[in-house]
Amino acid sequence: MLGPVRIQIEDFSSDDELAALRAGSQRIGGIATFIGCARDFSEGREVSRISFDAYGSMALAEMNRLRDEAIEKFSLLDTRLVHRVGSVGAGEQIVLIATGAEHRAPALEACHWLIDELKQRVPIWKKEITPQGDAWVTPHP
Amino acid sequence: MLGPVRIQIEDFSSDDELAALRAGSQRIGGIATFIGCARDFSEGREVSRISFDAYGSMALAEMNRLRDEAIEKFSLLDTRLVHRVGSVGAGEQIVLIATGAEHRAPALEACHWLIDELKQRVPIWKKEITPQGDAWVTPHP
Amino acid sequence: MIRILFFGPVAEQVAVREMQLEFHAGMRLMDVASHLQARYAEAFRLVSFIAVNSLQTKDMQLGLSDGDEIAFMAKFSGG
Amino acid sequence: MIRILFFGPVAEQVAVREMQLEFHAGMRLMDVASHLQARYAEAFRLVSFIAVNSLQTKDMQLGLSDGDEIAFMAKFSGG
């Protein structure tokens, strides 16, 4: 069984992540997921691939802290966070957040909170590969 | 390819629904899903199964209206709604909402809005099967 | 004919999912509702919503047409 | 030894992902930062966050220990 917090090169399966989440508890009434995908277009430029670099040990530690905080803050039954690194083609999946709670509102709110916090706090950087050249992405404030 | 709005007896696969959603557009940057599951416990009673009855034609029409409204209201690139009927065991999946948008906030907000509206507007009724007997669920206001 | 539909908890009380009533000119939704309510008082205590031809309505004065389909429904509890 | 790490856009500018600096007693974070900033001015214009042993810090007076790992990082853009 794959762990609940992972950084990996390979793609992931929502069905596998949801099965792992549901295996933990039959009290789960609502599961929310967020999946970030590589768009083929960004700020007016065509994007063919996105390449990710991570400070792996710190990123994993921060994702585990996020998991603990979310479980506490939203009374989740469980949550899973998976982020890919390496090269991801346009249209492919980048990141998955899955949250399970007794009721729907905390699951959905926790999912939103987690992806917002992940973008702020987890040391991962993306570079867009375009036909006009490559460029590291500078996040908007 | 399965349609984007369905009422069915069989279980569904998140991977299949997400693949169908992503096949529609490589502009999708964020996908949110909500999955409602049958809890094994409800208001102090053990629940072994949940049985669903639907006014099929009206429920489908209403789910299609919800889809159109959500696409318009949240500028979604696509959205899918699947609800099971018949008998669903504890821990099993009941309903799936999946929303795809250019950015994460509208996808997540649309997903939350859709499941709230579905519960209000779609003519489906659930009966909890417990060791102490069966009972139709009366929704809280 | 007017086709009457029941689902879920209402169907369980009425003990039937579907029935037909003879249509007559000038028939309104309230005529059908009060006729059925008198016969199935217990079931109608559960009714919160009415749909005519799959569209919800609260207009009890609504004029009916031959072939209309009317559903008397309890509060929804799907999802 | 102090281990220095660079990632993403900063690593691309420095043209190296990792380097080592000799540790000396009383060494503080600002000593390392200003030493590197002088050599890699271009890269350090991108630096927004510093982590010592995987924990973010803004305390430039922080005393270092032999074996510490310091990352000079651009704004995160994952997710």
Side-chain angles (χ1 to χ4, degrees):
Chain A
M1 181 76 85
L2 294 165
V5 173
R6 308 193 310 278
I7 293 176
Q8 63 188 39
I9 290 170
E10 316 80 59
D11 198 7
F12 48 79
S13 149
S14 288
D15 282 341
D16 292 352
E17 301 301 328
L18 295 181
L21 194 78
R22 286 161 55 204
S25 170
Q26 295 209 333
R27 291 266 157 111
I28 293 180
I31 297 174
T33 71
F34 175 78
I35 292 170
C37 299
R39 300 167 62 210
D40 65 354
F41 203 80
S42 168
E43 317 209 334
R45 288 168 312 130
E46 216 180 294
V47 176
S48 44
R49 304 192 70 74
I50 300 183
S51 160
F52 289 91
D53 192 15
Y55 181 2
S57 59
M58 180 177 164
L60 260 186
E62 195 64 40
M63 286 161 71
N64 273 298
R65 275 193 286 273
L66 283 176
R67 176 167 183 266
D68 294 344
E69 285 177 40
I71 288 173
E72 168 83 17
K73 186 176 166 78
F74 298 95
S75 300
L76 300 179
L77 293 164
D78 200 2
T79 177
R80 302 175 72 82
L81 297 86
V82 182
H83 201 299
R84 291 176 69 192
V85 289
S87 178
V88 172
E92 285 185 48
Q93 307 185 113
I94 296 167
V95 60
L96 173 139
I97 310 271
T99 55
E102 290 202 30
H103 299 288
R104 68 188 185 279
L108 285 156
E109 288 159 16
C111 196
H112 204 154
W113 182 84
L114 275 166
I115 184 65
D116 286 352
E117 291 290 310
L118 181 144
K119 284 176 174 268
Q120 292 288 323
R121 289 166 50 179
V122 177
I124 299 180
W125 297 269
K126 67 158 75 78
K127 181 162 69 170
E128 291 174 347
I129 317 292
T130 82
Q132 292 78 43
D134 306 350
W136 290 99
V137 172
T138 308
H140 302 286
Chain B
M1 181 77 85
L2 294 165
V5 173
R6 309 194 309 279
I7 293 176
Q8 63 187 39
I9 290 170
E10 316 80 58
D11 198 6
F12 48 78
S13 150
S14 288
D15 281 341
D16 291 352
E17 300 301 329
L18 295 180
L21 195 77
R22 287 160 55 204
S25 170
Q26 294 209 335
R27 290 268 156 112
I28 293 181
I31 297 174
T33 70
F34 175 79
I35 291 170
C37 299
R39 299 168 63 211
D40 65 353
F41 203 80
S42 168
E43 316 210 333
R45 287 169 312 130
E46 216 181 294
V47 175
S48 44
R49 304 191 71 74
I50 300 183
S51 158
F52 289 91
D53 191 16
Y55 182 2
S57 59
M58 180 178 166
L60 260 187
E62 195 65 41
M63 286 162 71
N64 273 298
R65 275 193 286 272
L66 283 176
R67 177 167 183 266
D68 294 344
E69 286 178 38
I71 288 173
E72 168 83 17
K73 186 177 167 76
F74 298 95
S75 299
L76 301 179
L77 292 163
D78 200 4
T79 177
R80 302 175 72 81
L81 297 86
V82 182
H83 201 299
R84 292 177 68 192
V85 289
S87 177
V88 172
E92 284 185 48
Q93 306 184 113
I94 296 167
V95 60
L96 173 140
I97 310 271
T99 55
E102 290 202 29
H103 299 287
R104 67 189 185 280
L108 284 157
E109 287 159 16
C111 196
H112 204 153
W113 182 84
L114 275 166
I115 184 64
D116 286 352
E117 291 290 309
L118 181 145
K119 284 175 174 267
Q120 292 288 323
R121 288 166 50 179
V122 176
I124 299 180
W125 297 269
K126 68 158 76 78
K127 181 162 69 169
E128 291 174 346
I129 318 292
T130 82
Q132 292 79 43
D134 306 350
W136 290 99
V137 172
T138 309
H140 302 287
Chain C
M1 283 293 180
I2 301 289
R3 199 171 159 218
I4 311 292
L5 302 179
F6 303 113
F7 301 96
V10 179
E12 195 165 285
Q13 278 291 337
V14 177
V16 68
R17 296 179 65 82
E18 189 174 336
M19 53 179 72
Q20 307 231 331
L21 292 183
E22 202 71 46
F23 172 74
H24 58 78
M27 204 175 192
R28 286 178 300 173
L29 180 53
M30 65 177 303
D31 301 329
V32 173
S34 53
H35 171 77
L36 292 169
Q37 192 153 18
R39 277 177 67 187
Y40 306 103
E42 200 69 24
F44 270 69
R45 269 199 270 281
L46 300 172
V47 171
S48 290
F49 304 120
I50 303 174
V52 176
N53 300 324
S54 293
L55 277 174
Q56 274 197 55
T57 182
K58 293 183 192 304
D59 178 10
M60 299 304 286
Q61 303 299 327
L62 186 73
L64 300 177
S65 307
D66 199 7
D68 277 353
E69 177 180 288
I70 307 178
F72 293 95
M73 303 179 289
K75 277 196 184 147
F76 310 147
S77 56
Chain D
M1 284 292 179
I2 300 290
R3 199 172 159 219
I4 311 292
L5 302 179
F6 303 113
F7 300 96
V10 179
E12 194 165 286
Q13 278 292 336
V14 177
V16 68
R17 296 180 65 82
E18 188 173 338
M19 54 178 71
Q20 306 231 332
L21 292 183
E22 202 71 47
F23 172 75
H24 58 76
M27 203 174 193
R28 286 178 300 174
L29 179 54
M30 65 177 303
D31 302 328
V32 173
S34 52
H35 171 76
L36 291 169
Q37 192 153 20
R39 278 177 68 186
Y40 305 103
E42 200 69 25
F44 269 69
R45 269 200 270 280
L46 300 172
V47 171
S48 290
F49 304 120
I50 304 175
V52 176
N53 300 324
S54 293
L55 277 174
Q56 274 198 55
T57 181
K58 294 183 191 303
D59 177 10
M60 298 304 285
Q61 304 298 326
L62 186 73
L64 300 177
S65 307
D66 199 8
D68 278 354
E69 177 180 289
I70 308 178
F72 293 96
M73 304 179 289
K75 277 195 184 148
F76 310 148
S77 55

